[in-house]
Amino acid sequence: MNNNEDRNVLINVLAGIGLGVVIGGIAGLIFAPKSGSETRDDIKAKADELKWKTDNLLTDLQASADELIAKSKEKLEKTKDSVQKAVEAGKQAMEEKKEKLEDAVEENESDV
C-alpha cells in the first residue's frame, strides 16, 4: 500500500468510529431507561453546567487578558522612559562634543 491508500483507510476507519459514537449516543438517549422529561432535565442540567463552565472560563480569560495588557503597558512605559533617557544622554553628549569642537576651532583661529 502507498501513503494515499493508507491515509484513505485511516480516514475511513476514523469516520466509521465517529459515526458509531454518534449513533451510539443517540441510541443511548432514545433507549435510556429514563422518561423523556428526565432525559430532557439531564440534558438541561448538562447544558447549564456547560454554560457555567464557559462563563467561568471567559471570566478567567478576561482577567488574564487584562493582566497581560496591564503588564504590557507597564513594560512599554519602562521602555519608553529608557529610550527617552538614552536620547537625552545622546543629545547631552553631542552638545558637549559640539562645544569642545567649537572651543578647539576658536583656539585654532586665534593661533592663526
Side-chain angles (χ1 to χ4, degrees):
M1 271 191 202
N2 64 27
N3 285 341
N4 276 342
E5 290 175 355
D6 289 343
R7 185 181 299 163
N8 287 340
V9 169
L10 180 61
I11 289 172
N12 287 335
V13 168
L14 291 175
I17 290 171
L19 184 60
V21 167
V22 169
I23 290 173
I26 292 171
L29 287 174
I30 292 172
F31 296 111
K34 296 181 180 181
S35 69
S37 62
E38 288 176 319
T39 302
R40 284 189 298 274
D41 289 342
D42 287 349
I43 292 171
K44 184 181 182 322
K46 290 292 182 183
D48 290 343
E49 180 182 343
L50 180 62
K51 182 183 182 309
W52 180 80
K53 287 181 180 180
T54 303
D55 289 343
N56 285 342
L57 178 63
L58 288 175
T59 301
D60 291 347
L61 286 174
Q62 183 64 46
S64 295
D66 291 344
E67 182 179 337
L68 182 62
I69 289 170
K71 285 181 180 179
S72 296
K73 285 181 180 180
E74 182 179 322
K75 285 185 180 185
L76 180 63
E77 284 300 316
K78 286 181 180 179
T79 302
K80 181 180 166 186
D81 290 342
S82 296
V83 169
Q84 285 177 338
K85 288 177 183 176
V87 167
E88 288 301 318
K91 285 180 181 179
Q92 179 79 23
M94 188 172 65
E95 188 64 35
E96 290 172 6
K97 204 62 150 160
K98 179 182 170 187
E99 289 174 8
K100 286 181 182 180
L101 285 173
E102 287 174 349
D103 290 343
V105 168
E106 286 178 12
E107 285 180 19
N108 282 340
E109 287 178 353
S110 64
D111 287 343
V112 175

